[in-house]
């Protein structure tokens, strides 16, 4: 059972999300919060698998709450939800430690898929958002000039998987490219995230570009 915490200052929005998520077998909403401060307390108390977090809220916004939840090591991957398709929110959310970013205008199935993916440890953004992350990362004027020391701990296959992850490829796409099973790919992704000290695959995309593992067009 995937345990979800809903955080939004509008009760009708929370009710809508609850209805959507609990229509899916295997997902249960275990708590709600109307601002970021309460979200921190609930995250520590309830240990949800996924936290659906609004960006703009009174008392404490979702970005600050996410950063604090991650800092305290609370359970739960954070899925940021907003009505604003703005790069500043996107990159602030990722910097705060969010594992996914979804617009509130997304279809119900997309919300369910995002929650399911985050619960499985697969940080998820839409292909469009992933592309913007890559474009933003590769636009950094000063590329890495030294080899990241963490890379020496990766096997050749894990490095190969990391480069494919950096393109935005899914596990099934990576499996097809490398002629291995999806379970094998998932193991490689889990291992490389652990060795690099990264929370999820979307942050692996950023790390790969920042450290010269992946290059535009490469």
């Amino acid at each position: 059972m995937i345990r979800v915490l809903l955080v939004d200052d509008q009760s009708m929005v929370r009710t809508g999300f609850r209805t959507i998520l609990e229509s899916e077998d295997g997902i249960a909403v275990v708590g709600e919060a109307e601002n970021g401060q309460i979200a921190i307390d609930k995250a520590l108390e309830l240990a949800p698998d996924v936290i659906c977090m609004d960006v703009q809220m009174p008392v404490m916004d979702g970005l600050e709450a996410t950063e604090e939840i991650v800092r305290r090591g609370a359970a739960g991957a954070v899925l940021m939800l907003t009505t604003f398709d703005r790069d500043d929110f996107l990159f602030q959310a990722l910097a705060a430690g969010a594992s996914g970013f979804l617009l509130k205008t997304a279809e119900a199935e997309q919300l369910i898929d995002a929650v399911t993916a985050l619960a499985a440890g697969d940080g998820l953004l839409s292909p469009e958002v992933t592309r913007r992350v890559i474009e933003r990362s590769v636009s950094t004027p000063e590329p890495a000039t030294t080899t990241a020391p963490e890379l020496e701990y990766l096997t050749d296959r894990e490095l190969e998987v990391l480069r494919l992850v950096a393109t935005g490829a899914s596990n099934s796409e990576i499996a097809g490219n490398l002629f291995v099973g999806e379970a094998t790919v998932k193991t490689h992704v889990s291992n490389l995230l652990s060795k690099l000290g990264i929370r999820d695959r979307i942050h692996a995309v950023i790390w790969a570009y920042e450290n010269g593992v992946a290059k535009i067009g490469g």
Side-chain angles (χ1 to χ4, degrees):
M1 183 65 69
I2 299 173
R3 296 161 47 83
V4 179
L5 171 64
L6 299 177
V7 185
D8 196 290
D9 60 324
Q10 299 184 49
S11 61
M12 290 183 64
V13 172
R14 298 197 306 271
T15 299
F17 287 159
R18 177 185 285 271
T19 300
I20 291 170
L21 293 173
E22 293 194 333
S23 70
E24 182 76 6
D25 291 339
I27 297 179
V29 176
V30 296
E32 298 183 14
E34 61 265 29
N35 62 58
Q37 185 59 64
I38 296 175
I40 295 170
D41 297 336
K42 291 281 188 179
L44 294 169
E45 173 191 351
L46 300 173
D49 300 301
V50 178
I51 303 169
C52 293
M53 180 82 73
D54 188 20
V55 173
Q56 294 184 310
M57 295 179 291
V59 183
M60 178 184 289
D61 66 30
L63 299 172
E64 187 177 354
T66 296
E67 188 171 10
E68 185 65 13
I69 286 170
V70 172
R71 188 187 70 79
R72 294 197 189 187
V78 177
L79 174 65
M80 302 298 300
L81 294 160
T82 180
T83 55
F84 304 100
D85 187 9
R86 289 171 45 181
D87 279 351
D88 55 346
F89 284 158
L90 165 62
F91 292 103
Q92 286 178 60
L94 292 174
S99 297
F101 187 94
L102 196 66
L103 294 178
K104 289 183 179 178
T105 53
E107 298 293 331
E109 292 78 9
Q110 290 178 291
L111 175 61
I112 292 171
D113 288 346
V115 166
T116 302
L118 264 65
D122 299 326
L124 179 72
L125 300 176
S126 69
E128 295 80 7
V129 174
T130 299
R131 185 177 62 251
R132 282 157 58 189
V133 170
I134 292 173
E135 290 172 349
R136 176 75 164 255
S137 297
V138 300
S139 66
T140 302
E142 295 292 336
T145 56
T146 58
T147 302
E150 295 90 343
L151 287 175
E152 66 183 68
Y153 300 109
L154 300 185
T155 65
D156 290 342
R157 180 46 61 94
E158 287 167 352
L159 184 58
E160 193 174 13
V161 170
L162 175 59
R163 290 194 174 106
L164 289 170
V165 167
T167 68
S170 66
N171 284 352
S172 62
E173 290 169 336
I174 295 172
N177 187 288
L178 300 180
F179 303 102
V180 298
E182 284 190 50
T184 299
V185 173
K186 188 170 184 179
T187 297
H188 287 317
V189 171
S190 178
N191 288 343
L192 71 88
L193 292 179
S194 177
K195 290 179 180 181
L196 297 178
I198 299 171
R199 287 173 61 88
D200 51 56
R201 66 193 302 133
I202 192 59
H203 287 87
V205 171
I206 299 172
W207 191 95
Y209 280 102
E210 287 179 341
N211 289 279
V213 173
K215 296 181 177 65
I216 185 76

